[in-house]
Amino acid sequence: MKPVLAPMVRAGFIGMQRLSAKYGADTLYTDAIFPQNIISSNIFESQDMLLFIRKDIRVLYLDKSLLPKTCVQLVGNDPEILSTCINILSPYVKRIDLNCGCTRNFTHQGGYGADMLNKPESLLSLLKTLVHKHPDIKFSVKIRLLQTEINTTQFIRDLLQTGVGEINVHMRGIQQERDKDEADFKQFARIYKQIDKTEQVKITANGGIISIKDYLEFKSLFDENNVPRVMLASGAVRNASFFRVICTNIEGKEIKEYPLKQVISQNDRNTKPIKVNIHKSQRDS
Ligand SMILES: Cc1cc2nc3c(=O)[nH]c(=O)nc-3n(C[C@H](O)[C@H](O)[C@H](O)COP(=O)(O)O)c2cc1C
């Protein structure tokens, strides 16, 4: 199954999306967006792009040619607000992801992101409502591992019952940090194998797959013809041609190409930290 580009605030900009698509990424997640910001945006549309602007700040920038692959990630927990936002997006985008994996303080304070995993019943009910209200939208949800393997397995089964089409599992726990803690490939593999075979296709693995070596280690835990779809974040920023390596099984052949041009030409203050990342990854490689 083809890999997908993870939602990444600041890193998921349009240049990154274009380059990932060029190298075979199947789905392109936008960064996490507050639905209120979409609701209060003005929409500007040209022949090839859509721009959502709120108070002179760009909230969402979509390349029309990439819309069939685009999934907008929302961060929120209010069914009415989410639904209003989805109604605004639905003429353009047919895929929506709910962020239930972000562990930043602001999500904890607001009761969304990974905090929603602490109230599984409310989350399941919210997803059922959204799926029911928006039958033309394919929903996905991005979660983390729960405290026990049994809990995560049961929770994934419950999520599948809500009608969401995809579950993206960040293979780290809620208390873990992506820069410090290793992703738990083995736990994910055990959970994946507990899920009904017909449903496995809806589960995507994310976290810690940064290099070809990581991918081969991950892949070795599964049967050759039943390797789960993977979602790349830091690995894609490091080198977007990683998508091509996974798609084609060309081991070791990476092309060094970076979306620098787009980063600089966007002249956007939000992209500054990524400029640093990309320059750094060029130095490292
Ligand atoms: C710069 C950056 C921004 C991120 N922003 C988001 C986000 O907006 N929404 C989200 O669900 N995850 C976000 N993440 C988390 C990634 O989607 C992913 O779950 C995490 O980085 C683990 O994958 P990795 O080990 O391949 O980097 C972000 C990660 C990075 C590196």
Side-chain angles (χ1 to χ4, degrees), residues 262-275:
Q262 288 94 330
V263 179
I264 291 163
S265 69
Q266 259 184 304
N267 193 22
D268 181 334
R269 64 196 167 120
N270 272 343
T271 58
K272 195 173 170 220
I274 294 313
K275 262 188 243 172

Side-chain angles (χ1 to χ4, degrees), residues 172 175-183:
R172 293 184 178 96
Q175 309 300 338
Q176 293 183 302
E177 291 179 39
R178 67 166 185 262
D179 296 334
K180 290 190 194 146
D181 300 298
E182 270 193 24

Side-chain angles (χ1 to χ4, degrees), residues 6-11 30-33 73 97 99-102 142 144 170 172 178-179 183 206-210 231-235 237 274 277:
M8 282 186 282
V9 167
R10 295 197 172 98
T30 68
D31 50 346
I33 298 169
Q73 189 189 61
D97 183 78
N99 178 326
C100 300
C102 182
K142 184 158 175 274
R144 286 184 176 235
H170 183 170
R172 293 184 178 96
R178 67 166 185 262
D179 296 334
N206 164 247
I209 302 173
I210 315 295
M231 171 184 266
L232 304 180
S234 321
V237 172
I274 294 313
N277 270 352

Side-chain angles (χ1 to χ4, degrees), residues 48-195:
D48 48 9
M49 62 115 192
L50 275 164
L51 202 48
F52 291 70
I53 305 253
R54 178 180 174 267
K55 294 186 184 165
D56 288 341
I57 306 269
R58 189 196 60 194
V59 172
L60 178 62
Y61 177 22
L62 297 171
D63 179 329
K64 279 188 174 174
S65 69
L66 298 177
L67 285 181
K69 287 180 173 230
T70 302
C71 179
V72 176
Q73 189 189 61
L74 299 176
V75 55
N77 58 12
D78 183 312
E80 288 304 317
I81 296 175
L82 283 164
S83 205
T84 307
C85 167
I86 293 166
N87 280 335
I88 293 170
L89 291 171
S90 64
Y92 315 106
V93 180
K94 297 295 173 204
R95 299 199 47 181
I96 298 288
D97 183 78
L98 188 65
N99 178 326
C100 300
C102 182
T103 53
R104 295 280 160 122
N105 274 348
F106 73 90
T107 53
H108 185 57
Q109 284 155 10
Y112 29 71
D115 206 59
M116 292 163 87
L117 299 176
N118 296 323
K119 297 177 198 104
E121 290 308 323
S122 312
L123 173 56
L124 294 170
S125 151
L126 171 65
L127 289 169
K128 273 186 205 155
T129 306
L130 293 178
V131 169
H132 179 73
K133 271 189 158 177
H134 303 278
D136 57 330
I137 299 289
K138 180 177 174 186
F139 285 94
S140 59
V141 59
K142 184 158 175 274
I143 63 166
R144 286 184 176 235
L145 298 174
L146 303 185
Q147 261 182 344
T148 69
E149 211 168 300
I150 295 177
N151 286 358
T152 312
T153 312
Q154 186 52 49
F155 188 53
I156 290 176
R157 288 195 184 116
D158 294 343
L159 286 170
L160 289 165
Q161 293 294 316
T162 65
V164 295
E166 236 161 72
I167 300 170
N168 302 308
V169 184
H170 183 170
M171 299 178 282
R172 293 184 178 96
I174 297 170
Q175 309 300 338
Q176 293 183 302
E177 291 179 39
R178 67 166 185 262
D179 296 334
K180 290 190 194 146
D181 300 298
E182 270 193 24
D184 194 341
F185 294 176
K186 288 188 177 154
Q187 185 182 160
F188 173 84
R190 289 193 297 273
I191 292 169
Y192 182 81
K193 288 170 191 174
Q194 298 283 321
I195 301 298

Side-chain angles (χ1 to χ4, degrees), residues 182-219:
E182 270 193 24
D184 194 341
F185 294 176
K186 288 188 177 154
Q187 185 182 160
F188 173 84
R190 289 193 297 273
I191 292 169
Y192 182 81
K193 288 170 191 174
Q194 298 283 321
I195 301 298
D196 196 289
K197 274 233 164 348
T198 55
E199 301 284 56
Q200 283 176 341
V201 66
K202 298 179 181 166
I203 298 169
T204 303
N206 164 247
I209 302 173
I210 315 295
S211 65
I212 295 168
K213 185 170 160 282
D214 298 327
Y215 181 65
L216 294 178
E217 183 192 328
F218 174 79
K219 202 176 149 190

